[in-house]
Amino acid sequence: MDNQELWLGDVRAALAEKNSERLAGLLSHRSVEDLISVLDAFQDHTSILFQSMQAESAADALEEVHPEHARDMLEDLPHETAADVLDEMEDDHASDVLLAMSPGTAADLLEGMAPEDIADVLEIVPTSRAAELLGQFSLDVAADVLEEMGEDEASDILEALAPEKAADILEVVNPREAADLLQEMDEDTAADMLARVDPDERTDIAELMSHPDDSIGGQMSIEFLALTMDRTVAEAIEAIRQWAEDSESPHYLYVTGDRGELLGVVPLHRLVTASPTISIADLMLDDVVRVKVDEDQEEAARLFRKYHYLALPVVDDNNVLEGVVRVDDVVEVIEEEAAEDANVMVGLPHQEQIFAPVFQSARRRITWLTVNLLTALLAAGVVSLFENTIARLSVLAVMMPIVAGQGGNAGSQTLTIMVRGLALGEIDRRGAWRAFWKELGVGALNGLAIGFLVGAVMWLWQGSILLGAIIAVAMLLNLTCAAGAGVVVPLGLRAIGVDPALASAIFVTTVTDCCGFLFFLGLATLALRFLI
């Protein structure tokens, strides 16, 4: 009798004894194949077997069986155990299992998971099914899940719901998040949905929608705590206590005048250490760092980096306090923009997801690949000018990719620094010239170093000091051009109103490929009679 049969016998004995502790020990640290085999061997005891496994191990086992089989096993488990196992499954496998379940059962299991995990699953199931599941959650859970989802997916799900149900959920969602979701929809759908929202919530959402999405007003929260300067510390602490019952704890207490104008701010640590009878006018700081409601959100990001505050007050042109922008909201926006920039620099749409449908992803990427093909043909055209040279000295074909590739790498380094500097507002007109000459110097120095190395290799390999000198000079020239292109291209695109992150990479690569081939093959052609 082999070890596997002995192990199955021990499991059978533990099941007969109903010894859950022994069973848990037998099932721990076993392979997925072993767990699947024991589930198949003891199908009448699925529930106790799953309860004896670690949730992560049970999830691994279910990911290896057919979704309908996994569904049947999960539905036989106690609700809490089933929810724990589903939570541990990979999102795409969990999605398949949920699709095999009835909507009511699936929604019941999902509602026991964290909103972040529910959001991950709903983002990859069909929109109609996601809407069906979301509609069965409580309003609070539905709102939390929508706030954790990407705006594109969340707005699509809202549109797929019955208008009345969508409006009910929007009333619970944070007003800023609700405004963002409505702005993703077409105007008629958004207007119809907003009209069904409670008037008080509707006013707040409409106010936030009136600001451009990339402005501070588009990112601010209108939920903030402000008191007049005649209030005492004791009254302020009581106001904070009542505020925290229904809202997030405030980072700062703002002090306003009779017209709502911002007069000062009181950090909470000063408030809790002060005497209860002191007026907050005696505690407030009147030199307040503030942002305007119509300023670009990157101004708030700059101030957060400089002052390390947790929140900044947002005022209008009359210094009236309109809202608060929090550091986590701005960081989220910056991260989203960085991800979008990373996508578009390689030709991917900003909404591209790893589990998006195959044909949808292919359709989104084909345009950029076609543009890349055209630029590759341009580089190929440069090479074709030197067919005779390559035919007479074949080693040139071996070294061509090195010159072009190093130029591409150098250009990408400069381009990354420039795009980041432009995005963060670090580069003005004077700074552009400084960046150009600095990067040109860096490119030349690196070109000398890399050129010397590759030239030495070529000399030792081919025994020709002239051929080594040619590739060294070509490398110097190409890395210098790459650095210049890495500065000029994004600045030029910004000057004509095109996002530098969107199209810079393809132009810089084209420059480095064409120039690299031209310099290397051109110099070799001029010196050909000395090389053969």
Side-chain angles (χ1 to χ4, degrees), residues 14 29 68 79 106 115 135 175 229 250 267 290 380 390 395 397 475 495 501:
H29 307 298
E68 292 185 359
H79 178 273
M229 59 194 306
R290 66 200 79 193
I390 297 171
V395 71
M475 191 71 75

Side-chain angles (χ1 to χ4, degrees), residues 458-459 463-472 523 527-531:
M458 179 63 80
W459 178 26
S464 172
I465 191 169
L466 179 57
L467 194 55
I470 286 172
I471 195 170
L523 290 171
L528 188 61
R529 64 193 181 95
F530 301 106
L531 294 171

Side-chain angles (χ1 to χ4, degrees), residues 85-139:
V85 173
L86 186 68
D87 194 13
E88 291 294 336
M89 293 179 72
E90 294 291 335
D91 294 338
D92 54 334
H93 291 289
S95 168
D96 291 340
V97 173
L98 291 171
L99 289 173
M101 291 180 173
S102 67
T105 303
D108 195 36
L109 280 179
L110 282 174
E111 202 160 4
M113 295 164 54
E116 298 86 351
D117 296 325
I118 303 174
D120 288 341
V121 174
L122 292 190
E123 284 183 346
I124 59 175
V125 302
T127 300
S128 58
R129 185 56 180 266
E132 194 174 14
L133 295 172
L134 191 79
Q136 299 200 37
F137 297 157
S138 68
L139 292 179

